[in-house]
Amino acid sequence: MTSPHPYPNRIIMKRISKATMSVGVAAVLALGLAACTPGGSAAPASSASLGPVSKDVGSGKTTLTVWDQNTDTGINDAQQQLNDEFEKTHPNITIKRVSRSFADLKTTLKLALSGDNPPDVVQANQGYPDMGAFVKAGYLRPMDDYAELYDWNSYYPSSLLKLNSFSSDGKTWQGDDLYGVSQTGELVGLYYNKAVLAEAGISEPPTTLDELTADMATLKSAGTLPLSYGDVEKSPGIHLYGFALSALAGHEKVNDLVAGKSGSWTGSDEVEAAETVAGWSKDGYLTEGANGVSRDDAVAAFGKGQSGFLITGTWYLATLQAASQAKDIGFTALTPSGASTPVTMGGEGLAWAITSKTKNANAAAAYIDFITNEKASEVLVKTGNLPTVVPASDEPASGTLTGDVTSSYQAISSANNVTPYLDYATPTFYNTLTAAMQNLTAGQSTPEQFTKTLQDDYSGFTEK
């Protein structure tokens, strides 16, 4: 969704202030090869046909137009610093930044890329709905030559690079051509308020989905809202269902399902995950009227101690560090039956990609390297973000929220227990899943109807 990221619906257009740099350690993800999309116009065949590349960005005045979705407080601060420092390092280059929420980016980016004057650098959501469609249409430039030039192949685990790769015709996710690199690592996990839980008589955070449901019942009985949840933007529904499904089915089953290798959206684990989420809503464990509540308002309510739990991504780390209840907030993920390590959805942030029509490819690649490299990871850490490659020297204090997030990311990713975002599954799955989740939590569809809706979309795609 990739990642489906939870950023406020606002549009910022600005030239960024000048930055500082930072550090990074690696996540290891293993995802299977995905199914193929229907054919269409082909993208550029490979970077081998694009001519020589160089780290020399020239000395002439250059403006790089950059579209991102880094609107949340912590990552926005980091992006501003990094853009500012890049301009200091390259005084002939000006960054013209267009920053939009994830939802806005999904709506407007394709139109911008198809125009006569597209941006030079964009953040593209992985999977078929966005990156695959852009590659298929020829909007993105393959980046394998720059990966070799800047040694991204050594810096990033190959499994992470695969998430940002497609075949040159856009038909096969995790194909042979690289179309971007990511700046941040991500997990969708369970934030919990230790003080709120203790007041209800809960001494430890849950470790399984059944325990989480039982703890929600205890909180409800104590007169406390169990789970803050807002889904007006729709993408939080992917996180809620994906979190529950990962905790039930485990990494291999979820990965193979999303990747088109095996499984069905009407399988027993898929239906049980839907039953669990529907039960939470029916029993009053979720914020009332959640489909009309913004995710930011839900996060803010949790940060003020108004609920026991919050299910969302690590991209809210900086926001929750600044919350009034920060000292009581912890982070964890759940362990499926028979597994020894928690399993949850996540991976890495949206890929930074170079557009095919840019006249400034060398400058664009230099910019992408600058905002994602080891130095940049230090800025990300200092501004409350989780870099894709976490610095080996980064050892946040045990028992802190930052420590919980970092240790969870390292443990889960190194165990290959990060499941892919569910909307990667088909070109239309984002819209299908998010709408179906709103119907499920509103009681307008049954778990069986919900999973059949997903399977119908999935079958229509895979049969082609």
Side-chain angles (χ1 to χ4, degrees):
M1 109 184 199
T2 304
S3 35
H5 307 284
Y7 301 126
N9 276 328
R10 56 191 168 110
I11 297 176
I12 306 169
M13 196 165 197
K14 57 187 172 185
R15 204 180 134 219
I16 270 358
S17 55
K18 319 221 160 177
T20 38
M21 313 271 66
S22 290
V23 116
V25 121
V28 180
L29 290 167
L31 294 176
L33 197 61
C36 295
T37 68
S41 58
S46 75
S47 55
S49 63
L50 297 174
V53 296
S54 173
K55 291 184 179 181
D56 183 359
V57 299
S59 57
K61 292 293 183 183
T62 302
T63 296
L64 281 181
T65 301
V66 177
W67 281 41
D68 70 59
Q69 57 99 60
N70 287 345
T71 58
D72 191 49
T73 301
I75 192 63
N76 182 61
D77 291 346
Q79 200 63 49
Q80 290 187 15
Q81 291 182 36
L82 293 169
N83 283 6
D84 181 59
E85 187 65 24
F86 181 81
E87 290 181 330
K88 286 181 180 177
T89 304
H90 302 285
N92 63 308
I93 300 178
T94 297
I95 303 300
K96 180 181 177 183
R97 183 184 180 200
V98 179
S99 188
R100 298 175 181 255
S101 71
F102 176 75
D104 287 338
L105 197 70
K106 283 188 70 69
T107 303
T108 59
L109 184 54
K110 184 175 183 180
L111 181 62
L113 289 174
S114 65
D116 294 333
N117 189 30
D120 299 283
V121 175
V122 299
Q123 277 192 294
N125 192 25
Q126 295 91 335
Y128 290 109
D130 295 314
M131 181 179 280
F134 299 157
V135 171
K136 181 179 176 182
Y139 296 153
L140 301 183
R141 181 197 189 282
M143 295 167 60
D144 301 273
D145 48 1
Y146 286 116
E148 183 175 351
L149 181 68
Y150 285 101
D151 202 27
W152 295 337
N153 294 324
S154 297
Y155 182 65
Y156 295 99
S158 60
S159 53
L160 292 184
L161 293 177
K162 271 295 183 185
L163 295 182
N164 296 332
S165 301
F166 261 92
S167 59
S168 61
D169 56 8
K171 289 184 177 182
T172 305
W173 177 42
Q174 299 185 61
D176 293 332
D177 291 339
L178 181 70
Y179 285 94
V181 293
S182 297
Q183 186 180 39
T184 55
E186 295 178 351
L187 289 180
V188 173
L190 181 70
Y191 292 91
Y192 59 94
N193 188 306
K194 302 167 192 174
V196 172
L197 297 189
E199 200 170 312
I202 302 169
S203 58
E204 297 289 340
T207 60
T208 66
L209 199 63
D210 284 344
E211 289 180 8
L212 174 58
T213 300
D215 286 347
M216 287 187 183
T218 300
L219 287 165
K220 177 74 173 178
S221 297
T224 300
L225 174 66
L227 180 71
S228 286
Y229 179 61
D231 193 31
V232 73
E233 300 89 351
K234 289 191 172 183
S235 58
I238 299 175
H239 306 145
L240 189 66
Y241 181 65
F243 179 82
L245 180 59
S246 298
L248 282 170
H251 169 266
E252 186 174 355
K253 285 185 179 179
V254 176
N255 177 71
D256 288 352
L257 180 61
V258 176
K261 296 173 69 176
S262 65
S264 167
W265 292 95
T266 54
S268 58
D269 289 325
E270 288 74 13
V271 173
E272 185 178 350
E275 289 173 342
T276 299
V277 171
W280 292 347
S281 182
K282 180 181 178 182
D283 292 337
Y285 297 166
L286 309 182
T287 301
E288 186 176 358
N291 288 344
V293 176
S294 77
R295 72 165 68 80
D296 281 353
D297 286 345
V299 171
F302 172 77
K304 294 174 184 176
Q306 295 175 8
S307 65
F309 298 112
L310 173 73
I311 294 173
T312 191
T314 51
W315 49 84
Y316 269 119
L317 173 59
T319 299
L320 291 171
Q321 283 177 322
S324 61
Q325 297 282 306
K327 65 179 179 58
D328 291 320
I329 298 175
F331 179 88
T332 190
L334 304 180
T335 303
S337 176
S340 58
T341 306
V343 177
T344 194
M345 191 167 63
E348 55 188 339
L350 271 65
W352 291 90
I354 301 173
T355 59
S356 58
K357 290 184 181 179
T358 182
K359 297 177 181 177
N360 306 299
N362 285 340
Y367 172 77
I368 291 174
D369 180 70
F370 194 92
I371 64 171
T372 61
N373 63 20
E374 186 175 356
K375 278 189 171 183
S377 66
E378 293 175 3
V379 170
L380 293 169
V381 169
K382 290 175 182 176
T383 50
N385 298 285
L386 183 64
T388 304
V389 181
V390 181
S393 59
D394 181 36
E395 296 183 8
S398 176
T400 65
L401 177 56
T402 301
D404 286 354
V405 166
T406 302
S407 61
S408 293
Y409 178 66
Q410 292 173 320
I412 295 172
S413 58
S414 64
N416 276 341
N417 276 344
V418 181
T419 59
Y421 290 109
L422 306 184
D423 59 300
Y424 290 174
T426 83
T428 55
F429 213 70
Y430 178 89
N431 291 333
T432 298
L433 175 55
T434 55
M437 271 298 292
Q438 287 196 334
N439 289 336
L440 180 69
T441 56
Q444 295 173 355
S445 67
T446 65
E448 291 75 18
Q449 290 169 331
F450 167 80
T451 53
K452 183 180 184 301
T453 297
L454 303 189
Q455 183 60 30
D456 286 347
D457 182 304
Y458 185 71
S459 297
F461 170 67
T462 55
E463 286 171 7
K464 293 179 182 178

